[in-house]
């Protein structure tokens, strides 16, 4: 008897959900247990391009259950929750509130740290609220700098021609 191939799906949504839970203080080892994975499998999931559909469903179910729950109130020791948060923050992972349920699985989606990410307004909000710049807002700032440099160059050229 031949084994049926396992159906897979893009891992973006699963990775984002695990990252958001880690930002909230959920250790990967606990998330692995809750999803029926080994800690090694959970670590591999974080860099995979695809995951089995069953794994994606399990991660989504755990995310739905714990995204608004306090790890401490669910038995996670404070030291483990703090370590998970510190690791997630150092890695720049987006929290639960930065993801829209309709786009979290879209590999092209970006987290909305400010509600305006990818625009200069978003970059300004990052600065105002001391939120580290996300890649989309870094790009917006770079485009702003290029526009300003082009304006300055046009101004210099127009005064030298006159």
């Amino acid at each position: 008897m031949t084994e049926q191939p396992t159906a897979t799906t893009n891992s973006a949504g699963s990775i984002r959900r695990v990252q958001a839970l880690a930002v909230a203080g959920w250790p990967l080892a606990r998330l692995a247990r809750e999803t029926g994975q080994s800690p090694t499998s959970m670590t591999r999931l974080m860099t995979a391009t695809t995951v089995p559909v069953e794994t994606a469903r399990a991660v989504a179910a755990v995310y739905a259950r714990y995204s608004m729950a306090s790890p401490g109130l669910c038995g996670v020791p404070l030291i483990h929750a703090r370590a998970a948060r510190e690791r997630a923050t150092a890695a720049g992972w987006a929290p639960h509130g930065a993801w829209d349920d309709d786009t979290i699985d879209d590999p092209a989606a970006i987290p909305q740290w400010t509600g305006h990410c990818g625009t200069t307004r978003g970059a300004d909000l990052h600065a105002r609220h001391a939120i580290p710049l996300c890649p989309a807002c870094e790009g917006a700032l770079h485009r702003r700098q290029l526009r300003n440099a082009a304006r300055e160059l046009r101004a210099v050229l127009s005064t030298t021609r006159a």
Side-chain angles (χ1 to χ4, degrees):
M1 189 151 114
T2 62
E3 188 174 312
Q4 293 292 324
T6 304
T8 61
T9 188
N10 187 287
S11 63
S14 296
I15 292 170
R16 292 168 179 167
R17 286 178 177 91
V18 170
Q19 289 175 343
L21 289 169
V23 170
W26 291 95
L28 289 183
R30 172 72 181 263
L31 297 175
R33 187 174 76 229
E34 294 290 330
T35 58
Q37 304 290 309
S38 70
T40 303
S41 295
M42 182 60 70
T43 302
R44 275 195 305 262
L45 177 142
M46 299 304 290
T47 58
T49 54
T50 62
V51 294
V53 170
E54 300 81 30
T55 300
R57 286 184 185 139
V59 169
V62 168
Y63 180 77
R65 186 171 45 236
Y66 291 131
S67 62
M68 301 302 276
S70 167
L73 295 177
C74 295
V76 175
L78 179 61
I79 192 167
H80 295 184
R82 185 177 298 134
R85 278 192 295 276
E86 288 173 359
R87 176 179 180 228
T89 301
W93 293 347
H96 163 76
W99 292 109
D100 185 290
D101 289 338
D102 295 333
T103 59
I104 193 168
D105 291 306
D106 178 359
I110 59 170
Q112 290 297 313
W113 294 85
T114 65
H116 299 279
C117 288
T119 67
T120 54
R121 182 175 180 197
D124 293 342
L125 288 168
H126 277 277
R128 184 178 310 143
H129 298 289
I131 302 168
L133 273 177
C134 66
C137 287
E138 283 178 1
L141 274 184
H142 181 69
R143 291 187 301 276
R144 176 194 280 169
Q145 291 168 343
L146 291 175
R147 276 193 310 273
N148 290 345
R151 277 189 202 118
E152 289 174 17
L153 183 58
R154 282 193 300 273
V156 168
L157 290 175
S158 69
T159 57
T160 58
R161 289 183 188 153

